[in-house]
């Protein structure tokens, strides 16, 4: 059993990670900005006010955790790098600091030519700010996370939607995982499976991985 704090637990990804972890018997703390809006989370999950972009908030919640899951979204471009700075600042000198599992963006994955998907000329402008923010977050982990254990999880860049929990997926590192038809797809429910699997059986410490069918 692990003690897991999920920042962004009220969101599409975060709520599914909470359910997956709780159903497997882990102790889960749902950290959200508005606790009153999370009545749909399982009974037995402790809901608290928490903000991944606040170093003080991270320091308050980290000592009771084995893993901090960051599944925040819906903000300005700076939301994700601000969260990484707060997390690293809070954990860097903390004895027995928890791991960070950061649910990031698929647009940071690479094309066959080795360029980021977000840098392609046809990348949709409406997603650019979020993609750039998540890219900055990944860069911060890679360059500034000395002494802190982290994992950055990228979903597929396009076909990533709520759906069924199958419990199956395949993993890669910096390129999208594709099937025989070249398709890269995953449900939010199976991303949650991949995240909790990584907490239970770490395979990608201090690196990024991606998952798809």
């Amino acid at each position: 059993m692990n003690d897991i704090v999920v920042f962004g637990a009220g969101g599409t990804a975060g709520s599914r990670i909470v359910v997956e972890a709780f159903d497997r018997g882990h102790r889960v703390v749902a950290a959200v900005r508005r606790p009153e809006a999370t009545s749909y989370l399982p009974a037995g999950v402790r809901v608290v006010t928490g903000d991944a972009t606040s170093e003080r908030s991270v320091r308050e919640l980290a000592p009771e955790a084995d893993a901090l899951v960051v599944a925040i979204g819906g903000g300005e471009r700076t939301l994700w790098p601000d969260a990484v700075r707060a997390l690293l600042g809070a954990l860097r000198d903390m004895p027995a600091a928890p791991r960070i599992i950061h649910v990031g963006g698929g647009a940071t994955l690479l094309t066959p030519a080795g360029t980021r998907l977000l840098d392609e000329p046809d990348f949709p402008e409406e997603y650019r700010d979020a993609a750039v923010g998540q890219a900055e977050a990944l860069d911060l982990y890679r360059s500034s996370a000395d002494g802190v254990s982290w994992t950055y999880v990228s979903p597929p860049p396009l076909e990533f939607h709520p759906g069924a929990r199958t419990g199956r997926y395949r993993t890669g590192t910096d390129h999208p995982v594709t099937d025989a038809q070249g398709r890269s797809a995953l449900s939010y429910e199976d991303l949650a499976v991949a995240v909790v699997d990584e907490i239970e059986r770490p395979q990608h410490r201090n690196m990024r991985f991606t998952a798809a069918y």
Side-chain angles (χ1 to χ4, degrees), residues 71-84:
I72 58 176
E76 300 292 330
R77 177 191 60 76
T78 57
L79 174 70
W80 298 278
D82 284 349
V84 176

Side-chain angles (χ1 to χ4, degrees), residues 1-209:
M1 181 184 294
N2 288 281
D3 291 292
I4 302 170
V5 174
V6 181
F7 287 100
T12 307
S15 61
R16 285 158 173 80
I17 294 167
V18 167
V19 170
E20 180 68 26
F22 183 77
D23 285 350
R24 295 201 205 180
H26 298 292
R27 290 183 291 264
V28 184
V29 174
V32 295
R33 293 187 177 185
R34 295 175 56 237
E36 69 277 4
T38 56
S39 59
Y40 52 88
L41 294 177
V45 171
R46 185 159 69 93
V47 180
V48 301
T49 301
D51 180 359
T53 67
S54 164
E55 189 170 327
R56 177 180 178 181
S57 183
V58 175
R59 286 186 182 276
E60 289 174 349
L61 293 171
E64 61 185 273
D66 298 303
L68 301 179
V69 177
V70 183
I72 58 176
E76 300 292 330
R77 177 191 60 76
T78 57
L79 174 70
W80 298 278
D82 284 349
V84 176
R85 293 185 187 97
L87 288 155
L88 298 183
L91 301 184
R92 185 168 280 117
D93 299 319
M94 182 177 293
R99 291 179 66 199
I100 302 169
I101 310 293
H102 183 113
V103 179
T108 60
L109 293 167
L110 304 181
T111 69
T115 58
R116 299 181 305 181
L117 291 167
L118 68 91
D119 295 324
E120 292 297 288
D122 59 348
F123 187 83
E125 281 301 318
E126 62 266 31
Y127 302 125
R128 185 169 300 281
D129 277 356
V132 170
Q134 286 283 22
E136 291 177 0
L138 178 57
D139 289 343
L140 283 169
Y141 283 122
R142 286 172 166 168
S143 65
S144 306
D146 292 343
V148 177
S149 180
W150 60 274
T151 299
Y152 185 104
V153 187
S154 285
L158 293 176
E159 294 191 60
F160 180 48
H161 309 288
R165 181 196 185 280
T166 71
R168 62 179 180 84
Y169 60 89
R170 295 176 296 134
T171 61
T173 52
D174 289 326
H175 293 83
V177 173
T178 58
D179 62 16
Q181 289 72 46
R183 181 186 179 198
S184 183
L186 192 70
S187 69
Y188 275 88
E189 288 74 9
D190 282 329
L191 180 78
V193 174
V195 166
V196 180
D197 283 351
E198 178 65 26
I199 293 171
E200 293 180 346
R201 299 180 298 280
Q203 302 293 318
H204 304 93
R205 287 187 182 274
N206 300 333
M207 62 183 295
R208 182 255 292 280
F209 81 95

